[in-house]
Amino acid sequence: RIIRFKYNDEDSILAALTDENKVYRLPYTDFMNLVNEAENQKVTTLFLVENVIATSLPIKESIDELSLLVPIIAPEVWASGVTYEKSRDARKYESTGGKTDVITCYDKVYDADRPEIFFKSTAARTIGPNDAVHIRSDSNWQIPEPELGLVINKDGKILGYTIGNDMSSRDIEGENPLYLPQAKIWKNSCSIGPVIRLAETVEDPYNLQITCQIYRDNQKVVEGTANTKQLKRKYSELIGYLIKDNKIFDGTVLLTGTCIVPPNEFTLQDGDRIEIEISGIGILKNDVKLPAPKE
Ligand code: DO4
Ligand code: MG
């Protein structure tokens, strides 16, 4: 797994995190530099990383002592929607007030050949662990969306897997699906990290357990779990539609849709804490903040 962290007066360090939680500094400026170097040498990224681990010593600090940053400064984050039944049903609920005898755009997109793919975030709006996700001041129904993130190159090749939180406003989208960008994009509305698990080390990306826990005043108030085997689509299908006739940049992250939705009566509050775990990848933890109104 690849991490980035702040270290004394150095801006950022790229490092490998082993399964035993040992941290090895890598001689590359960032994740894409590592990937490109492997390509130049015609070896896998895993080979380069294992070589560093075999020929150097881990740093003395433990992973918990490090100030982790986003593992990659993704130029863009895109997201897939309504890729799990759970999401289709939740979107239908918020847009109809709970009616089941109507066909909504969410029912149609779940069954359509073309998936829902939307623009989610830019590098400046995306945060990593140890930073707070923001909630909007004009919404009364906001949730995290725990999602597997694909780190891809400009040609759509999957380089690694990360964890993403597609923060969402259910009442804004529920009022009118045309409000989607406002229900999805604002400052600190997207979190990714804390690691990128190299693609070649993931045995079955369609069998990853995802868990989301939300804490309020140190009490767990929400817990949900699901598995990527419930995904309706293939990752190649989502990427295929994303890159079609598009310009995509190295290090783009594509979120694959949410499979966990908190109970309908739940909304996030300032001071909550969100923890999203994906098996074999790690735990993405973020506090929730309602920023003070601008003067
Ligand atoms: O249709 C809205 C977006 C749904 C979404 O973000 C998801 O399913 O994860
Ligand atoms: Mg989502």
Side-chain angles (χ1 to χ4, degrees), residues 80 118 145 147 166 168 184 257-258:
S80 326
F118 60 92
E145 290 193 351
E147 306 192 10
D166 167 25
S168 300
K184 295 287 187 181
T258 191

PDB file of all heavy atoms in Angstrom, residues 80 118 145 147 166 168 184 257-258, ligand 2:
ATOM      1  N   SER A  80     -19.404   7.275  -9.973  1.00  0.00           N
ATOM      2  CA  SER A  80     -20.487   6.507 -10.586  1.00  0.00           C
ATOM      3  C   SER A  80     -21.657   6.542  -9.619  1.00  0.00           C
ATOM      4  O   SER A  80     -21.449   6.606  -8.402  1.00  0.00           O
ATOM      5  CB  SER A  80     -20.084   5.045 -10.777  1.00  0.00           C
ATOM      6  OG  SER A  80     -18.721   4.932 -11.072  1.00  0.00           O
ATOM      7  N   PHE A 118     -20.653  10.982 -12.973  1.00  0.00           N
ATOM      8  CA  PHE A 118     -20.701  12.443 -12.819  1.00  0.00           C
ATOM      9  C   PHE A 118     -19.381  12.985 -12.300  1.00  0.00           C
ATOM     10  O   PHE A 118     -18.586  12.247 -11.717  1.00  0.00           O
ATOM     11  CB  PHE A 118     -21.882  12.864 -11.931  1.00  0.00           C
ATOM     12  CG  PHE A 118     -21.846  12.300 -10.520  1.00  0.00           C
ATOM     13  CD1 PHE A 118     -21.252  12.998  -9.479  1.00  0.00           C
ATOM     14  CD2 PHE A 118     -22.426  11.070 -10.234  1.00  0.00           C
ATOM     15  CE1 PHE A 118     -21.230  12.490  -8.185  1.00  0.00           C
ATOM     16  CE2 PHE A 118     -22.413  10.544  -8.943  1.00  0.00           C
ATOM     17  CZ  PHE A 118     -21.810  11.259  -7.916  1.00  0.00           C
ATOM     18  N   GLU A 145     -21.062   8.965   1.573  1.00  0.00           N
ATOM     19  CA  GLU A 145     -21.246   7.792   0.711  1.00  0.00           C
ATOM     20  C   GLU A 145     -19.906   7.068   0.638  1.00  0.00           C
ATOM     21  O   GLU A 145     -18.972   7.533  -0.026  1.00  0.00           O
ATOM     22  CB  GLU A 145     -21.763   8.199  -0.671  1.00  0.00           C
ATOM     23  CG  GLU A 145     -23.208   8.683  -0.615  1.00  0.00           C
ATOM     24  CD  GLU A 145     -23.866   8.801  -1.982  1.00  0.00           C
ATOM     25  OE1 GLU A 145     -23.181   8.671  -3.015  1.00  0.00           O
ATOM     26  OE2 GLU A 145     -25.092   9.041  -2.005  1.00  0.00           O
ATOM     27  N   GLU A 147     -17.314   4.595  -0.662  1.00  0.00           N
ATOM     28  CA  GLU A 147     -17.179   3.995  -1.988  1.00  0.00           C
ATOM     29  C   GLU A 147     -15.751   3.509  -2.243  1.00  0.00           C
ATOM     30  O   GLU A 147     -14.791   4.121  -1.772  1.00  0.00           O
ATOM     31  CB  GLU A 147     -17.564   5.034  -3.066  1.00  0.00           C
ATOM     32  CG  GLU A 147     -18.950   5.628  -2.807  1.00  0.00           C
ATOM     33  CD  GLU A 147     -19.534   6.424  -3.943  1.00  0.00           C
ATOM     34  OE1 GLU A 147     -18.976   6.400  -5.061  1.00  0.00           O
ATOM     35  OE2 GLU A 147     -20.576   7.080  -3.704  1.00  0.00           O
ATOM     36  N   ASP A 166     -18.047  10.113  -0.978  1.00  0.00           N
ATOM     37  CA  ASP A 166     -18.779  11.016  -1.879  1.00  0.00           C
ATOM     38  C   ASP A 166     -19.869  11.700  -1.048  1.00  0.00           C
ATOM     39  O   ASP A 166     -21.030  11.290  -1.074  1.00  0.00           O
ATOM     40  CB  ASP A 166     -19.362  10.156  -3.018  1.00  0.00           C
ATOM     41  CG  ASP A 166     -20.388  10.886  -3.859  1.00  0.00           C
ATOM     42  OD1 ASP A 166     -20.337  12.114  -3.917  1.00  0.00           O
ATOM     43  OD2 ASP A 166     -21.245  10.193  -4.477  1.00  0.00           O
ATOM     44  N   SER A 168     -22.825  13.758   0.241  1.00  0.00           N
ATOM     45  CA  SER A 168     -24.012  14.019  -0.576  1.00  0.00           C
ATOM     46  C   SER A 168     -25.121  14.674   0.225  1.00  0.00           C
ATOM     47  O   SER A 168     -25.299  14.386   1.409  1.00  0.00           O
ATOM     48  CB  SER A 168     -24.561  12.695  -1.118  1.00  0.00           C
ATOM     49  OG  SER A 168     -23.610  12.052  -1.910  1.00  0.00           O
ATOM     50  N   LYS A 184     -23.606  17.435  -4.682  1.00  0.00           N
ATOM     51  CA  LYS A 184     -22.395  16.621  -4.664  1.00  0.00           C
ATOM     52  C   LYS A 184     -21.092  17.405  -4.514  1.00  0.00           C
ATOM     53  O   LYS A 184     -20.095  16.866  -4.050  1.00  0.00           O
ATOM     54  CB  LYS A 184     -22.310  15.820  -5.979  1.00  0.00           C
ATOM     55  CG  LYS A 184     -23.418  14.785  -6.151  1.00  0.00           C
ATOM     56  CD  LYS A 184     -23.186  13.615  -5.218  1.00  0.00           C
ATOM     57  CE  LYS A 184     -24.149  12.473  -5.467  1.00  0.00           C
ATOM     58  NZ  LYS A 184     -23.916  11.360  -4.537  1.00  0.00           N
ATOM     59  N   GLY A 257     -19.525   4.139  -6.586  1.00  0.00           N
ATOM     60  CA  GLY A 257     -20.921   4.157  -6.133  1.00  0.00           C
ATOM     61  C   GLY A 257     -21.059   3.622  -4.721  1.00  0.00           C
ATOM     62  O   GLY A 257     -20.234   2.835  -4.252  1.00  0.00           O
ATOM     63  N   THR A 258     -22.122   4.073  -4.083  1.00  0.00           N
ATOM     64  CA  THR A 258     -22.290   3.676  -2.683  1.00  0.00           C
ATOM     65  C   THR A 258     -23.184   2.447  -2.534  1.00  0.00           C
ATOM     66  O   THR A 258     -24.167   2.280  -3.255  1.00  0.00           O
ATOM     67  CB  THR A 258     -22.839   4.827  -1.811  1.00  0.00           C
ATOM     68  OG1 THR A 258     -22.714   4.426  -0.438  1.00  0.00           O
ATOM     69  CG2 THR A 258     -24.298   5.144  -2.084  1.00  0.00           C
TER      70      THR A 258
HETATM   71 MG    MG B   2     -21.946   8.260  -4.545  1.00  0.00          MG
END
